[in-house]
Amino acid sequence: MASTRGRRLAATLVVATMVGLLAGCTPAAEPAPGTSSRSDGRELSVSHYGPQPTAMTTEDGVEVWDLTVPPSAEAFGIDTSDGSTSGVQVGAYSSSGGGGRPVRFVLPGGTSVDVRANEVTFQLNDSPEGVDDPTTGEVLVPAGRSFGLRVDAPAVEGADAGVAGYQEALDGLGLPSDTVGELEQKIAAGPTARPGDAPERITVSASLPREQGMQFGVGTRFRPDQDITVFLLEYYANWDVVPSP
């Protein structure tokens, strides 16, 4: 019984980690120690530890990710050689410098988006059997293999820059500007936490319709309790669950 509770707790933590990644609420994953197999990564000053990703190419100095391919560890350069059959693993592509690097994502339906990125992090969550809540029957972890993506763009300071950056990102994806007004309202509202409470980041996001089993979107988050408000722009994606190998 104790081991069953442990597995449920671990699975719940995995769900929380995955949701945080896609919502842009957790720090970007650190690459694991090792040696990169990417020659083009060195040219772009990108650090990646793991196998060569089959979904990535370099075109005229731009890191291009083809997200129309079926999601897999091989496509995203995620090292699964440790033999683990469950848990979270990542493929992180990190670059230094405040301006980010040029990255293009080719999306289902013929859309592509060009961004400046400091971090491109793919996440794999393996749960061959899945986990249900023993009381309600709610699916906590779907059976199979889940993939997510988070892209951290360079941070900007000040409300005007934060709103402008978010608007530009929406325009780049062809998304409506409805959530820009929501962002402006939340900026104007200021801090909402009670004195003594831990400050929390405010998030606004929008996404494209799901297509070919993938949803892609963008969000921005900020903490309204600082003298200079810093806005963190993040792109994200998630895929339908696929069978575990």
Side-chain angles (χ1 to χ4, degrees), residues 89-110:
Q89 300 177 75
V90 299
Y93 301 80
S94 308
S95 56
S96 58
R101 65 187 188 272
V103 181
R104 178 176 301 132
F105 296 99
V106 181
L107 310 178

Side-chain angles (χ1 to χ4, degrees), residues 28-207:
E30 293 293 332
T35 302
S36 173
S37 61
R38 295 181 55 217
S39 59
D40 54 344
R42 288 192 293 271
E43 293 170 6
L44 290 170
S45 299
V46 178
S47 173
H48 164 238
Y49 300 92
Q52 174 85 14
T54 60
M56 193 276 286
T57 57
T58 301
E59 300 177 9
D60 298 326
V62 178
E63 182 179 309
V64 181
W65 288 93
D66 182 2
L67 300 187
T68 67
V69 303
S72 67
E74 295 76 17
F76 303 144
I78 300 174
D79 185 3
T80 59
S81 61
D82 62 359
S84 174
T85 58
S86 63
V88 176
Q89 300 177 75
V90 299
Y93 301 80
S94 308
S95 56
S96 58
R101 65 187 188 272
V103 181
R104 178 176 301 132
F105 296 99
V106 181
L107 310 178
T111 301
S112 64
V113 57
D114 290 283
V115 308
R116 303 292 301 188
N118 290 327
E119 296 278 349
V120 174
T121 305
F122 292 92
Q123 180 166 315
L124 177 160
N125 174 25
D126 228 355
S127 183
E129 298 179 358
V131 178
D132 296 343
D133 186 291
T135 303
T136 66
E138 177 187 0
V139 176
L140 299 177
V141 179
R145 177 168 281 189
S146 302
F147 289 91
L149 164 67
R150 170 174 148 173
V151 181
D152 294 327
V156 298
E157 296 182 352
D160 290 344
V163 171
Y166 182 58
Q167 177 70 74
E168 182 179 356
L170 293 175
D171 293 343
L173 288 172
L175 288 167
S177 301
D178 305 19
T179 51
V180 174
E182 179 185 352
L183 174 61
E184 292 173 330
Q185 290 175 2
K186 290 184 175 182
I187 293 171
T192 57
R194 295 175 299 180
D197 287 350
E200 61 181 60
R201 293 194 183 277
I202 306 298
T203 302
V204 175
S205 63
S207 60

